[in-house]
Amino acid sequence: MKIIPLFCAGLALTLSCNSGNSQQQAAEVPSEHAGEQPVTQHVIPGDNAEAPVLELVSDTYDFGKVDEGTRVEHEFLFKNTGGSPLIISNVQASCGCTTPEYSKNPIAPGEEGLVKVVFNSAGQLGKQHKIVTVTSNALSTNTLLHLRGEVSK
């Protein structure tokens, strides 16, 4: 049975090839987001290292407690830390009470962009968790943004 040693040797070679160090560039973090860890897509050796990478300052915004009828606005900031232009093809909210706007022009490597989300709390009593899906040509094609909080009467 020479198949098992060959399999083990192949597995060891595969694991050793994927254990290299990868360097990540940190996005400049605006002062209002200081202390937050950027949400990064990781480039795995063997993947297209020149592909765009959408790195968010934060993928979650907690708006706390608001009165019903309040409009909550937030800008999710990101940076393209990859090697080619990032193109956002679609941004879709989980419900009609949340409206997204986004950068429609390609974002060059090293450049920043944003997704602005407006949540209309009218008729949305209680705890809220709205999800916005960003579809792009990045390594991970779908990126989820979370808007959380509570609406009271």
Side-chain angles (χ1 to χ4, degrees):
M1 293 278 172
K2 294 182 181 181
I3 295 174
I4 294 174
L6 259 167
F7 173 75
C8 291
L11 180 62
L13 180 60
T14 300
L15 292 175
S16 68
C17 289
N18 288 334
S19 64
N21 293 333
S22 64
Q23 297 178 340
Q24 298 176 358
Q25 295 177 329
E28 290 184 28
V29 179
S31 60
E32 69 267 14
H33 297 288
E36 296 178 3
Q37 292 295 320
V39 180
T40 306
Q41 298 172 351
H42 299 283
V43 178
I44 300 170
D47 282 351
N48 183 355
E50 293 300 313
V53 177
L54 192 156
E55 182 177 296
L56 289 157
V57 172
S58 176
D59 67 349
T60 302
Y61 176 67
D62 187 337
F63 59 83
K65 290 185 178 184
V66 297
D67 292 330
E68 181 183 11
T70 302
R71 292 173 56 91
V72 176
E73 294 185 18
H74 181 70
E75 293 180 347
F76 290 92
L77 304 175
F78 64 87
K79 184 174 186 177
N80 178 4
T81 59
S84 61
L86 173 71
I87 299 169
I88 296 175
S89 56
N90 191 33
V91 178
Q92 183 73 40
S94 59
C95 77
C97 61
T98 306
T99 308
E101 296 176 21
Y102 60 97
S103 306
K104 294 186 174 64
N105 294 327
I107 294 99
E111 295 296 315
E112 297 177 344
L114 62 91
V115 174
K116 179 180 176 181
V117 178
V118 179
F119 167 64
N120 183 353
S121 67
Q124 301 290 320
L125 290 174
K127 292 192 182 233
Q128 302 296 314
H129 179 199
K130 305 303 179 188
I131 299 172
V132 177
T133 304
V134 178
T135 304
S136 71
N137 66 332
L139 281 174
S140 181
T141 57
N142 288 321
T143 302
L144 301 181
L145 307 176
H146 304 271
L147 193 64
R148 298 176 191 264
E150 187 172 350
V151 179
S152 59
K153 200 161 193 162

